[in-house]
Amino acid sequence: MVAKTMEDLVSLCKRRGFIFQSNDIYGGTKGLYDYGPMGVELKNNLKHSWWKSMVYERDDVEGLDAAILSAPEVFRMSGHEDTFSDPLVDCRSCKSRWRADQLQNNLCPNCKSKDLTDPRPFNLMFKTAIGPVDDGKSFAYLRPETCQQIFTNFKNILDSTSRTVPFGIAQIGKAFRNEITPRNFIFRVREFEQMELEFFVEPEKAEEWHKYWINKRLEWWKIQGISSDNIKLLNIEKEELSHYSKATVDIMYNFPHGEEELEGIANRSDFDLGSHTKNQQDFSINSKVIKNDKSTTKLGVQNLDDKKWYIPHVIEPSAGVDRGVLAILNEAYKEENIQDNNSRIVLSLQSHLSPIKAAIIPLKKNAEKLVNLSKKIKTNLQKVGLGRVMLENSGNIGKNYRRHDEIGTPICITVDFETLDDNSVTVRDRDTMEQKRISIDNLINYYTDYFN
Ligand code: GAP
């Protein structure tokens, strides 16, 4: 097996339709990527797996899909207007801009000049005008994290579901950050997706729940095919914590470019509901929050034993979808030597993540009987509802196997002339490359069992 690099992954992603540079035909835009036919399936499967584990398989979490454009008050009260910034320096020689904390030896990475300005804060939030008049007064932020709308909808969800603490609200969606130096493919981008759970707990139970969610999240990443050898937990030092966090543990992954954050699991204490609540003075809020005289809603709950009102604390596992996709591609990508001095690239994805679940291949292109039977098999397997099943009518079996190895299709089903006589097909396994004959009558059972 040969070691893989980021270039290997970028090249496979483009060649096989997973991920393209955005606005490619106009020269491309830094920090923006588009997911192609295979990428969108992989990403949807990853998001579905998260949603299933967070919402469907639990009895204490509700879902939400909130608007991206947010009223300025949301990100004023959340502290983002004041603190969500990176230190920026300008190079006076070549006029480029860099993040001060990413410079090596205080040199401009572009022209190696030492003539740099002092660092100054650069807010990462994107703004856009709302309504027909762009007078600078009526604007919205494109949310830089998905969770704030979970907090602003806290009371709506409580009232409509009758939940009591502990319970959580899950959301998957886009977030936007005007990163100064987007880099490393889809690792640091300006438009990305997050999968965030905000889990509301009693203050004295917060640390226990924090530990619980760290373990749960490690287990989940393993199920997505992430090897424990490539994962490390990092306790964020007090002085490095985000403004809202009391304690954060990052799940660090060994990406092709180095070890970096895949997911953060934060104990946000009472900062969020305490920031957005009306009548802050009615609660004893521990966190340092901005005075809020705009909120119309109290975000406290009543302790069922002593009947006192309090602000729930929040535990937040927050994972990046794009970083998840990158880690999963990195784990699955293999270059293997096979028979007769040949080699192949194979994407050994966990089958629930594979973009295509099965490819149905008539041995000869346009051979009517084979193609019609293949279409029928495709329709029947598609109806099972496990994901996309594809008909491959190009006639080149070798090329089809190569392509489906590279996009991680777990099984290829070939319909040949013998099929017309014995009603059986050849099923090839992606990982072992073993082939066996299976009767068409047993195919749905075989297929269902394979994915279960
Ligand atoms: N609500 C908490 C929050 O947003 P964060 O650590 O800033 O915390 C959470 O972001 C996750 O979002 C990160 O662990 C990462 O996976 C993903 N993420 C953050 N910034 C990103 C970027 N510029 N590009 C891609 N993913 C990013």
Side-chain angles (χ1 to χ4, degrees):
M1 210 153 80
V2 190
K4 71 210 128 189
T5 63
M6 187 72 99
E7 286 67 40
D8 292 329
L9 299 184
V10 174
S11 157
L12 175 87
C13 282
K14 176 150 194 196
R15 188 169 74 247
R16 294 300 185 188
F18 280 89
I19 300 166
F20 311 119
Q21 177 81 62
S22 220
N23 308 312
D24 211 0
I25 64 166
Y26 294 108
T29 310
K30 260 189 146 188
L32 298 180
Y33 287 91
D34 299 335
Y35 286 74
M38 295 306 121
V40 65
E41 298 294 338
L42 171 57
K43 195 152 95 136
N44 281 344
N45 292 340
L46 183 67
K47 289 190 284 184
H48 177 68
S49 174
W50 186 89
W51 194 261
K52 190 159 74 75
S53 84
M54 286 300 191
V55 184
Y56 298 168
E57 290 172 1
R58 301 185 64 91
D59 296 311
D60 54 2
V61 174
E62 300 289 346
L64 176 73
D65 181 17
I68 287 170
L69 295 179
S70 315
E73 288 79 11
V74 174
F75 288 101
R76 191 162 308 140
M77 295 311 163
S78 72
H80 284 74
E81 271 193 350
D82 289 340
T83 57
F84 195 61
S85 51
D86 278 339
L88 173 95
V89 294
D90 286 299
C91 171
R92 292 194 186 90
S93 298
C94 72
K95 311 290 179 221
S96 58
R97 290 192 156 166
W98 304 98
R99 255 176 74 170
D101 55 336
Q102 287 176 351
L103 295 180
Q104 280 180 357
N105 304 325
N106 268 339
L107 294 176
C108 167
N110 188 40
C111 69
K112 308 290 175 237
S113 163
K114 273 198 161 167
D115 192 9
L116 305 175
T117 60
D118 286 336
R120 61 197 161 81
F122 171 77
N123 196 295
L124 301 182
M125 286 194 291
F126 285 102
K127 265 184 188 177
T128 189
I130 277 217
V133 185
D134 187 2
D135 59 2
K137 285 186 199 138
S138 178
F139 70 92
Y141 287 117
L142 274 70
R143 62 187 183 196
E145 57 175 8
T146 55
C147 60
Q148 291 302 324
Q149 282 71 21
I150 293 182
F151 304 130
T152 56
N153 275 292
F154 178 73
K155 186 79 170 38
N156 285 334
I157 291 176
L158 263 192
D159 290 350
S160 56
T161 63
S162 310
R163 285 278 173 202
T164 52
V165 167
F167 81 101
I169 303 175
Q171 180 170 223
I172 300 176
K174 290 261 180 171
F176 302 82
R177 296 183 189 180
N178 197 3
E179 297 283 355
I180 302 166
T181 42
R183 56 190 179 161
N184 295 319
F185 194 31
I186 51 171
F187 177 82
R188 187 177 301 287
V189 284
R190 291 183 169 133
E191 175 176 341
F192 55 99
E193 277 189 276
Q194 289 184 318
M195 306 182 280
E196 297 202 301
L197 172 75
E198 306 306 314
F199 200 77
F200 302 97
V201 300
E202 292 172 311
E204 52 283 2
K205 303 265 172 69
E207 281 179 27
E208 201 180 303
W209 277 109
H210 195 198
K211 284 192 197 123
Y212 167 89
W213 278 111
I214 295 165
N215 288 331
K216 271 274 164 204
R217 297 303 301 143
L218 286 173
E219 279 169 25
W220 184 82
W221 281 114
K222 246 189 237 170
I223 296 168
Q224 312 318 308
I226 302 294
S227 130
S228 324
D229 295 345
N230 283 328
I231 288 260
K232 229 194 230 166
L233 289 180
L234 178 70
N235 256 305
I236 304 298
E237 300 285 338
K238 277 248 155 354
E239 50 281 6
E240 299 286 323
L241 288 172
S242 303
H243 63 280
Y244 52 74
S245 173
K246 189 175 167 201
T248 296
V249 171
D250 282 348
I251 298 182
M252 304 294 282
Y253 178 74
N254 196 9
F255 287 99
H257 63 277
E259 196 174 82
E260 291 218 55
E261 177 187 340
L262 172 63
E263 168 164 354
I265 302 148
N267 175 352
R268 298 178 70 121
S269 69
D270 56 3
F271 179 84
D272 304 289
L273 296 180
S275 297
H276 290 300
T277 189
K278 176 185 163 183
N279 295 356
Q280 288 166 316
Q281 69 285 353
D282 290 357
F283 303 100
S284 54
I285 300 170
N286 293 316
S287 306
K288 232 169 117 187
V289 295
I290 298 172
K291 187 168 180 304
N292 191 333
D293 49 18
K294 290 270 191 318
S295 173
T296 58
T297 308
K298 268 197 181 193
L299 300 179
V301 297
Q302 202 174 18
N303 181 311
L304 298 179
D305 297 328
D306 65 15
K307 308 291 177 222
K308 283 196 182 137
W309 286 82
Y310 70 98
I311 296 283
H313 283 215
V314 171
I315 305 300
E316 177 199 61
S318 170
V321 177
D322 309 78
R323 287 189 192 178
V325 167
L326 185 58
I328 282 161
L329 287 172
N330 183 54
E331 292 283 340
Y333 183 102
K334 292 185 186 120
E335 273 181 55
E336 285 179 355
N337 293 322
I338 51 174
Q339 277 177 338
D340 306 327
N341 273 344
N342 285 323
S343 68
R344 69 164 184 165
I345 292 172
V346 59
L347 216 48
S348 289
L349 292 167
Q350 297 298 303
S351 57
H352 69 282
L353 296 176
S354 288
I356 307 294
K357 301 302 175 199
I360 321 297
I361 312 169
L363 188 67
K364 190 159 183 281
K365 188 178 172 181
N366 298 335
E368 203 181 335
K369 281 188 179 163
L370 298 190
V371 175
N372 286 344
L373 187 53
S374 300
K375 279 187 182 165
K376 207 167 135 198
I377 293 172
K378 187 236 138 135
T379 305
N380 287 338
L381 294 189
Q382 190 60 66
K383 274 190 199 151
V384 177
L386 295 173
R388 186 170 174 196
V389 180
M390 186 182 254
L391 178 80
E392 283 287 6
N393 189 16
S394 69
N396 188 328
I397 192 85
K399 261 195 178 163
N400 280 322
Y401 283 164
R402 230 176 68 199
R403 167 173 146 76
H404 283 280
D405 281 349
E406 290 197 8
I407 62 178
T409 306
I411 49 181
C412 285
I413 297 169
T414 304
V415 178
D416 55 26
F417 291 101
E418 256 180 272
T419 308
L420 302 176
D421 297 329
D422 67 2
N423 197 42
S424 61
V425 286
T426 301
V427 177
R428 175 186 181 269
D429 182 278
R430 174 196 68 199
D431 296 327
T432 61
M433 290 184 285
E434 266 171 28
Q435 303 190 10
K436 55 181 160 194
R437 294 292 283 184
I438 291 190
S439 160
I440 293 180
D441 298 337
N442 295 333
L443 204 52
I444 288 193
N445 278 347
Y446 176 86
Y447 176 72
T448 315
D449 287 351
Y450 187 99
F451 287 94
N452 286 330

